[in-house]
Amino acid sequence: MSIQVFGLPVSRGVAIGRAVLVASSRIDVAHYFIDAARVDAEIERLRMARDEVAAELSLLQRDLPSDAPAELSALLDVHLMLLHDEVLANATKHWVRERHYNAEWAVSAQLEVLARQFDEMEDDYLRERKADMEQVTERLLRALARGDGGSVSHPAAPRDFGGEDPLVLVASDIAPADMLQFRRSVFTGFVTDVGGKTSHTAIVARSMDIPAVVGAREASRLIRQDDWVVIDGDSGVVIVDPSPIVLEEYRFRQRQSELERARLDRLRHTPAVTLDGEAVDMLANIELPSDAAAAVDAGAVGVGLFRTEFLFMNRAPGDLPGEDEQYEAYREAVLGMKGLPVTIRTVDIGADKPIERMSVSELRHEHVLNPALGLRAIRWSLAEPAMFRQQLRAILRASAHGKVRMLIPMVAHLSEIRQTFESIARAKQQLTEAGKPFVDVEVGAMIEVPAAALMLKRFLHYFDFVSIGTNDLIQYTLAIDRADEHVSHLYDPWHPAVLRLVADSVAQANAMGKHVSVCGEMAGDVAFTELMLAMGLRSLSMHPAQIASVKQRVLRADTRRLAASLETVLNADDPMAAAQTAFRRADGAPPSTALGAATLQ
């Protein structure tokens, strides 16, 4: 029977495929595809883990005190029986052999299947055995974690191990470390139970240019492994087991979308110049050095944001990248851009992008109640001075290979600025003493805290340029956790306060002759292109997949006419409606009016 699940549309388009479920667990489970050559080794890991758990359970049973309740021994017998059940063992091996899941993923996938079967049993006693299965499974996962070969550093090259059928990913949530693995893999779409329009999962889905729906609440419970699923990334609807008529309608929409992308692709290397002759820099946001090739291919004239935190994520404790490893990564990105400028942001760890070891925060708190307001971004870097100087030296060394700019995230205090420049000076001195070449680089600030926007005139005496990070600026201005679907309806890029902060920041930077750009999600959303141009922005940084559609809006725009309507939009109670009316008059064509266009593109 076909069912519909509703969530938040975060990445446009239609995806059709079989569901791959990433089950939730009280234990962190690595999810990645393995190469065919590793299948037997992964199955051997399963066997060894099962033998280890069996030995543990047998030892527990043997050492039971004489006065222990008989039920306890019987319970251990049940766990041993479940552990040695051939149906469970063979089914788990199936996920490894047929889908090429790693061992941990195979165990959690089979737990998901069995948990549903237990839930559907009519007998109360049998239904309650689900808890036993979960306990045995978690013992297996712990044993796998203790064994060798379980690192997520062995993902396979992108291939479709699901056979001819496309795959879509369904999960309660997807950790950033897993997203780093999945971003280059076989999935044609994502569905998650939780998350907001600018949560990490949503941003990565948009960066992969694939349809996604987040905040779908019960999706991972209602959808089963291998169900046929349609993800409507335009309206936020997920259709499970669609009828043939519905399926054909969505396949038609897929074909139309592919034709539109092919048409936009012809604009890749067309200069982005408005009708009145204003050149606009179309820059790319990248997360890994290898993304530089996609940026060049998409027609980007530089990298406006290199998110270096992805080099730090998905690493074992004590294995964070050192200076040389970072230098090689930054050098690869600089060379990959073939002489075009690269803006490298210092690490923005914290909030929804944690790493395995944060020594300062571990000393102060084991749990952070609100990481978005805690030790993150420049605060974390300044609290880890040795690690910060390592990154600064690596960035400076990369500058010897091309045009590099340095971007500092989440600055809010003059004291932070002074400490940052002291650290940069110290890093330069260390490189000079070591005889390592570098050139002086421009240093810019991310404007993503209201305090920074309000203090911008003073900040600009220190910085060479600024980049407005709209995702966090909206979050902090409106006091909205952008990853929380419970308040996602209040996350509003069109809020007058947000627009005023952006417009004033652009005006102040332009007045002082300092370069200003926007690198948040608003830059890649065609609904905001005319507004950004009206504000005086001439530099937009976005994922490479978004460049062509935004460039099309730029080519059709007349900035002088748009600027004349700016104050009308900024002073309106409903800026979105005012923009659609005012900019229609200015250019003869309205901004995108697609459902929820504010953050979907």
mmCIF file of all heavy atoms in Angstrom, residues 509-545:
data_model
loop_
_atom_site.group_PDB
_atom_site.id
_atom_site.type_symbol
_atom_site.label_atom_id
_atom_site.label_comp_id
_atom_site.label_asym_id
_atom_site.label_seq_id
_atom_site.Cartn_x
_atom_site.Cartn_y
_atom_site.Cartn_z
ATOM 1 N N ALA A 509 30.838 47.854 3.881
ATOM 2 C CA ALA A 509 32.051 47.337 3.235
ATOM 3 C C ALA A 509 32.322 48.073 1.933
ATOM 4 O O ALA A 509 33.468 48.467 1.659
ATOM 5 C CB ALA A 509 31.897 45.836 2.987
ATOM 6 N N ASN A 510 31.284 48.274 1.143
ATOM 7 C CA ASN A 510 31.465 48.996 -0.123
ATOM 8 C C ASN A 510 31.926 50.428 0.112
ATOM 9 O O ASN A 510 32.775 50.948 -0.619
ATOM 10 C CB ASN A 510 30.158 48.978 -0.925
ATOM 11 C CG ASN A 510 29.885 47.631 -1.566
ATOM 12 O OD1 ASN A 510 30.806 46.834 -1.783
ATOM 13 N ND2 ASN A 510 28.627 47.357 -1.875
ATOM 14 N N ALA A 511 31.380 51.072 1.144
ATOM 15 C CA ALA A 511 31.747 52.458 1.431
ATOM 16 C C ALA A 511 33.214 52.587 1.825
ATOM 17 O O ALA A 511 33.854 53.609 1.547
ATOM 18 C CB ALA A 511 30.854 53.012 2.548
ATOM 19 N N MET A 512 33.746 51.543 2.466
ATOM 20 C CA MET A 512 35.151 51.582 2.888
ATOM 21 C C MET A 512 36.077 50.946 1.855
ATOM 22 O O MET A 512 37.275 50.777 2.116
ATOM 23 C CB MET A 512 35.303 50.884 4.244
ATOM 24 C CG MET A 512 34.572 51.603 5.374
ATOM 25 S SD MET A 512 34.822 50.847 7.004
ATOM 26 C CE MET A 512 36.564 51.172 7.286
ATOM 27 N N GLY A 513 35.525 50.576 0.701
ATOM 28 C CA GLY A 513 36.349 50.013 -0.360
ATOM 29 C C GLY A 513 36.861 48.622 -0.064
ATOM 30 O O GLY A 513 37.891 48.205 -0.612
ATOM 31 N N LYS A 514 36.146 47.872 0.778
ATOM 32 C CA LYS A 514 36.555 46.517 1.128
ATOM 33 C C LYS A 514 35.679 45.507 0.381
ATOM 34 O O LYS A 514 34.459 45.671 0.282
ATOM 35 C CB LYS A 514 36.432 46.284 2.645
ATOM 36 C CG LYS A 514 37.340 47.171 3.489
ATOM 37 C CD LYS A 514 38.819 46.861 3.239
ATOM 38 C CE LYS A 514 39.747 47.749 4.064
ATOM 39 N NZ LYS A 514 39.855 47.314 5.452
ATOM 40 N N HIS A 515 36.313 44.473 -0.122
ATOM 41 C CA HIS A 515 35.590 43.442 -0.863
ATOM 42 C C HIS A 515 34.604 42.718 0.070
ATOM 43 O O HIS A 515 34.930 42.378 1.202
ATOM 44 C CB HIS A 515 36.584 42.438 -1.448
ATOM 45 C CG HIS A 515 35.952 41.381 -2.303
ATOM 46 N ND1 HIS A 515 35.474 40.192 -1.794
ATOM 47 C CD2 HIS A 515 35.702 41.347 -3.635
ATOM 48 C CE1 HIS A 515 34.970 39.461 -2.782
ATOM 49 N NE2 HIS A 515 35.098 40.146 -3.907
ATOM 50 N N VAL A 516 33.412 42.469 -0.420
ATOM 51 C CA VAL A 516 32.388 41.792 0.375
ATOM 52 C C VAL A 516 31.701 40.753 -0.487
ATOM 53 O O VAL A 516 31.433 40.982 -1.670
ATOM 54 C CB VAL A 516 31.366 42.801 0.953
ATOM 55 C CG1 VAL A 516 30.705 43.625 -0.143
ATOM 56 C CG2 VAL A 516 30.286 42.079 1.776
ATOM 57 N N SER A 517 31.436 39.609 0.091
ATOM 58 C CA SER A 517 30.721 38.548 -0.616
ATOM 59 C C SER A 517 29.754 37.871 0.344
ATOM 60 O O SER A 517 29.805 38.107 1.559
ATOM 61 C CB SER A 517 31.698 37.513 -1.181
ATOM 62 O OG SER A 517 32.354 36.826 -0.130
ATOM 63 N N VAL A 518 28.892 37.033 -0.205
ATOM 64 C CA VAL A 518 28.013 36.191 0.602
ATOM 65 C C VAL A 518 28.343 34.751 0.267
ATOM 66 O O VAL A 518 28.435 34.370 -0.908
ATOM 67 C CB VAL A 518 26.524 36.470 0.313
ATOM 68 C CG1 VAL A 518 25.636 35.392 0.933
ATOM 69 C CG2 VAL A 518 26.139 37.832 0.867
ATOM 70 N N CYS A 519 28.563 33.934 1.294
ATOM 71 C CA CYS A 519 28.915 32.534 1.053
ATOM 72 C C CYS A 519 27.927 31.575 1.696
ATOM 73 O O CYS A 519 28.129 30.362 1.660
ATOM 74 C CB CYS A 519 30.325 32.232 1.550
ATOM 75 S SG CYS A 519 30.538 32.448 3.330
ATOM 76 N N GLY A 520 26.853 32.089 2.306
ATOM 77 C CA GLY A 520 25.849 31.221 2.905
ATOM 78 C C GLY A 520 24.868 30.714 1.864
ATOM 79 O O GLY A 520 24.984 30.988 0.662
ATOM 80 N N GLU A 521 23.858 29.996 2.326
ATOM 81 C CA GLU A 521 22.901 29.370 1.422
ATOM 82 C C GLU A 521 22.119 30.381 0.588
ATOM 83 O O GLU A 521 21.677 30.076 -0.515
ATOM 84 C CB GLU A 521 21.925 28.499 2.223
ATOM 85 C CG GLU A 521 22.550 27.268 2.831
ATOM 86 C CD GLU A 521 23.075 26.307 1.779
ATOM 87 O OE1 GLU A 521 22.254 25.761 1.018
ATOM 88 O OE2 GLU A 521 24.301 26.109 1.707
ATOM 89 N N MET A 522 21.943 31.597 1.088
ATOM 90 C CA MET A 522 21.223 32.608 0.322
ATOM 91 C C MET A 522 21.929 32.925 -0.990
ATOM 92 O O MET A 522 21.284 33.277 -1.986
ATOM 93 C CB MET A 522 21.057 33.884 1.160
ATOM 94 C CG MET A 522 20.023 33.743 2.280
ATOM 95 S SD MET A 522 20.005 35.163 3.418
ATOM 96 C CE MET A 522 19.344 36.447 2.358
ATOM 97 N N ALA A 523 23.247 32.788 -1.034
ATOM 98 C CA ALA A 523 23.999 33.112 -2.257
ATOM 99 C C ALA A 523 23.625 32.183 -3.402
ATOM 100 O O ALA A 523 23.593 32.595 -4.560
ATOM 101 C CB ALA A 523 25.496 33.029 -1.989
ATOM 102 N N GLY A 524 23.337 30.923 -3.086
ATOM 103 C CA GLY A 524 23.018 29.958 -4.127
ATOM 104 C C GLY A 524 21.546 29.774 -4.375
ATOM 105 O O GLY A 524 21.147 28.887 -5.145
ATOM 106 N N ASP A 525 20.711 30.592 -3.751
ATOM 107 C CA ASP A 525 19.259 30.494 -3.891
ATOM 108 C C ASP A 525 18.788 31.565 -4.866
ATOM 109 O O ASP A 525 18.897 32.758 -4.597
ATOM 110 C CB ASP A 525 18.609 30.697 -2.512
ATOM 111 C CG ASP A 525 17.112 30.472 -2.529
ATOM 112 O OD1 ASP A 525 16.508 30.509 -3.612
ATOM 113 O OD2 ASP A 525 16.535 30.259 -1.437
ATOM 114 N N VAL A 526 18.236 31.134 -6.000
ATOM 115 C CA VAL A 526 17.829 32.099 -7.031
ATOM 116 C C VAL A 526 16.738 33.042 -6.541
ATOM 117 O O VAL A 526 16.530 34.111 -7.131
ATOM 118 C CB VAL A 526 17.359 31.376 -8.304
ATOM 119 C CG1 VAL A 526 18.502 30.634 -8.956
ATOM 120 C CG2 VAL A 526 16.194 30.421 -8.003
ATOM 121 N N ALA A 527 16.035 32.677 -5.480
ATOM 122 C CA ALA A 527 15.015 33.574 -4.943
ATOM 123 C C ALA A 527 15.615 34.866 -4.413
ATOM 124 O O ALA A 527 14.923 35.884 -4.304
ATOM 125 C CB ALA A 527 14.228 32.875 -3.827
ATOM 126 N N PHE A 528 16.923 34.840 -4.079
ATOM 127 C CA PHE A 528 17.573 36.006 -3.492
ATOM 128 C C PHE A 528 18.525 36.715 -4.449
ATOM 129 O O PHE A 528 19.127 37.718 -4.074
ATOM 130 C CB PHE A 528 18.343 35.593 -2.231
ATOM 131 C CG PHE A 528 17.474 35.221 -1.073
ATOM 132 C CD1 PHE A 528 17.156 33.895 -0.839
ATOM 133 C CD2 PHE A 528 16.957 36.187 -0.236
ATOM 134 C CE1 PHE A 528 16.344 33.533 0.217
ATOM 135 C CE2 PHE A 528 16.144 35.844 0.827
ATOM 136 C CZ PHE A 528 15.834 34.514 1.053
ATOM 137 N N THR A 529 18.685 36.219 -5.647
ATOM 138 C CA THR A 529 19.713 36.775 -6.534
ATOM 139 C C THR A 529 19.489 38.256 -6.806
ATOM 140 O O THR A 529 20.404 39.082 -6.665
ATOM 141 C CB THR A 529 19.761 35.994 -7.856
ATOM 142 O OG1 THR A 529 19.993 34.616 -7.577
ATOM 143 C CG2 THR A 529 20.868 36.530 -8.752
ATOM 144 N N GLU A 530 18.271 38.624 -7.213
ATOM 145 C CA GLU A 530 17.992 40.043 -7.487
ATOM 146 C C GLU A 530 18.190 40.903 -6.253
ATOM 147 O O GLU A 530 18.704 42.027 -6.326
ATOM 148 C CB GLU A 530 16.564 40.210 -8.013
ATOM 149 C CG GLU A 530 16.367 39.772 -9.456
ATOM 150 C CD GLU A 530 16.082 38.291 -9.586
ATOM 151 O OE1 GLU A 530 16.097 37.581 -8.549
ATOM 152 O OE2 GLU A 530 15.832 37.837 -10.710
ATOM 153 N N LEU A 531 17.788 40.401 -5.097
ATOM 154 C CA LEU A 531 17.945 41.165 -3.860
ATOM 155 C C LEU A 531 19.421 41.373 -3.537
ATOM 156 O O LEU A 531 19.836 42.481 -3.151
ATOM 157 C CB LEU A 531 17.239 40.436 -2.710
ATOM 158 C CG LEU A 531 17.303 41.115 -1.341
ATOM 159 C CD1 LEU A 531 16.688 42.507 -1.386
ATOM 160 C CD2 LEU A 531 16.616 40.259 -0.288
ATOM 161 N N MET A 532 20.220 40.336 -3.688
ATOM 162 C CA MET A 532 21.657 40.465 -3.439
ATOM 163 C C MET A 532 22.289 41.527 -4.364
ATOM 164 O O MET A 532 23.097 42.352 -3.938
ATOM 165 C CB MET A 532 22.361 39.126 -3.667
ATOM 166 C CG MET A 532 21.925 37.979 -2.771
ATOM 167 S SD MET A 532 22.570 38.032 -1.088
ATOM 168 C CE MET A 532 21.110 38.655 -0.239
ATOM 169 N N LEU A 533 21.892 41.483 -5.616
ATOM 170 C CA LEU A 533 22.417 42.471 -6.567
ATOM 171 C C LEU A 533 21.945 43.879 -6.212
ATOM 172 O O LEU A 533 22.713 44.840 -6.318
ATOM 173 C CB LEU A 533 21.978 42.108 -7.983
ATOM 174 C CG LEU A 533 22.523 40.783 -8.546
ATOM 175 C CD1 LEU A 533 21.897 40.492 -9.900
ATOM 176 C CD2 LEU A 533 24.039 40.823 -8.662
ATOM 177 N N ALA A 534 20.698 44.007 -5.807
ATOM 178 C CA ALA A 534 20.166 45.316 -5.418
ATOM 179 C C ALA A 534 20.920 45.895 -4.225
ATOM 180 O O ALA A 534 21.100 47.114 -4.119
ATOM 181 C CB ALA A 534 18.682 45.194 -5.096
ATOM 182 N N MET A 535 21.379 45.023 -3.317
ATOM 183 C CA MET A 535 22.124 45.478 -2.141
ATOM 184 C C MET A 535 23.528 45.960 -2.488
ATOM 185 O O MET A 535 24.196 46.567 -1.654
ATOM 186 C CB MET A 535 22.232 44.332 -1.125
ATOM 187 C CG MET A 535 20.928 43.987 -0.426
ATOM 188 S SD MET A 535 21.193 42.590 0.705
ATOM 189 C CE MET A 535 19.557 42.438 1.438
ATOM 190 N N GLY A 536 23.991 45.667 -3.700
ATOM 191 C CA GLY A 536 25.332 46.067 -4.093
ATOM 192 C C GLY A 536 26.343 44.950 -4.059
ATOM 193 O O GLY A 536 27.546 45.185 -4.227
ATOM 194 N N LEU A 537 25.892 43.713 -3.849
ATOM 195 C CA LEU A 537 26.806 42.586 -3.853
ATOM 196 C C LEU A 537 27.237 42.261 -5.275
ATOM 197 O O LEU A 537 26.405 42.198 -6.182
ATOM 198 C CB LEU A 537 26.136 41.355 -3.224
ATOM 199 C CG LEU A 537 26.242 41.280 -1.700
ATOM 200 C CD1 LEU A 537 25.183 40.355 -1.135
ATOM 201 C CD2 LEU A 537 27.636 40.815 -1.280
ATOM 202 N N ARG A 538 28.531 42.043 -5.453
ATOM 203 C CA ARG A 538 29.057 41.675 -6.760
ATOM 204 C C ARG A 538 29.939 40.428 -6.644
ATOM 205 O O ARG A 538 30.746 40.149 -7.517
ATOM 206 C CB ARG A 538 29.864 42.825 -7.364
ATOM 207 C CG ARG A 538 29.051 44.096 -7.595
ATOM 208 C CD ARG A 538 27.940 43.891 -8.627
ATOM 209 N NE ARG A 538 27.175 45.112 -8.846
ATOM 210 C CZ ARG A 538 26.022 45.385 -8.252
ATOM 211 N NH1 ARG A 538 25.495 44.511 -7.378
ATOM 212 N NH2 ARG A 538 25.381 46.508 -8.501
ATOM 213 N N SER A 539 29.737 39.688 -5.557
ATOM 214 C CA SER A 539 30.496 38.458 -5.339
ATOM 215 C C SER A 539 29.612 37.485 -4.562
ATOM 216 O O SER A 539 29.186 37.789 -3.445
ATOM 217 C CB SER A 539 31.782 38.747 -4.559
ATOM 218 O OG SER A 539 32.518 37.562 -4.347
ATOM 219 N N LEU A 540 29.337 36.335 -5.165
ATOM 220 C CA LEU A 540 28.470 35.326 -4.556
ATOM 221 C C LEU A 540 29.195 33.989 -4.587
ATOM 222 O O LEU A 540 29.733 33.588 -5.622
ATOM 223 C CB LEU A 540 27.150 35.217 -5.310
ATOM 224 C CG LEU A 540 26.319 36.496 -5.427
ATOM 225 C CD1 LEU A 540 25.141 36.289 -6.384
ATOM 226 C CD2 LEU A 540 25.801 36.930 -4.055
ATOM 227 N N SER A 541 29.204 33.294 -3.455
ATOM 228 C CA SER A 541 29.892 32.015 -3.377
ATOM 229 C C SER A 541 28.904 30.922 -3.000
ATOM 230 O O SER A 541 28.165 31.058 -2.015
ATOM 231 C CB SER A 541 31.035 32.070 -2.352
ATOM 232 O OG SER A 541 31.840 30.919 -2.434
ATOM 233 N N MET A 542 28.901 29.832 -3.756
ATOM 234 C CA MET A 542 27.897 28.778 -3.587
ATOM 235 C C MET A 542 28.476 27.450 -4.030
ATOM 236 O O MET A 542 29.597 27.388 -4.543
ATOM 237 C CB MET A 542 26.663 29.113 -4.424
ATOM 238 C CG MET A 542 26.938 29.117 -5.924
ATOM 239 S SD MET A 542 25.813 30.156 -6.871
ATOM 240 C CE MET A 542 26.383 31.807 -6.422
ATOM 241 N N HIS A 543 27.707 26.386 -3.867
ATOM 242 C CA HIS A 543 28.167 25.111 -4.368
ATOM 243 C C HIS A 543 28.220 25.168 -5.894
ATOM 244 O O HIS A 543 27.369 25.797 -6.534
ATOM 245 C CB HIS A 543 27.248 23.967 -3.930
ATOM 246 C CG HIS A 543 27.807 22.631 -4.269
ATOM 247 N ND1 HIS A 543 27.571 22.011 -5.468
ATOM 248 C CD2 HIS A 543 28.647 21.808 -3.587
ATOM 249 C CE1 HIS A 543 28.224 20.867 -5.515
ATOM 250 N NE2 HIS A 543 28.882 20.713 -4.383
ATOM 251 N N PRO A 544 29.208 24.514 -6.506
ATOM 252 C CA PRO A 544 29.320 24.565 -7.966
ATOM 253 C C PRO A 544 28.042 24.202 -8.709
ATOM 254 O O PRO A 544 27.758 24.768 -9.771
ATOM 255 C CB PRO A 544 30.437 23.551 -8.262
ATOM 256 C CG PRO A 544 31.295 23.592 -7.043
ATOM 257 C CD PRO A 544 30.361 23.813 -5.897
ATOM 258 N N ALA A 545 27.243 23.294 -8.159
ATOM 259 C CA ALA A 545 26.020 22.871 -8.841
ATOM 260 C C ALA A 545 24.990 23.990 -8.942
ATOM 261 O O ALA A 545 24.077 23.923 -9.771
ATOM 262 C CB ALA A 545 25.408 21.674 -8.119
#
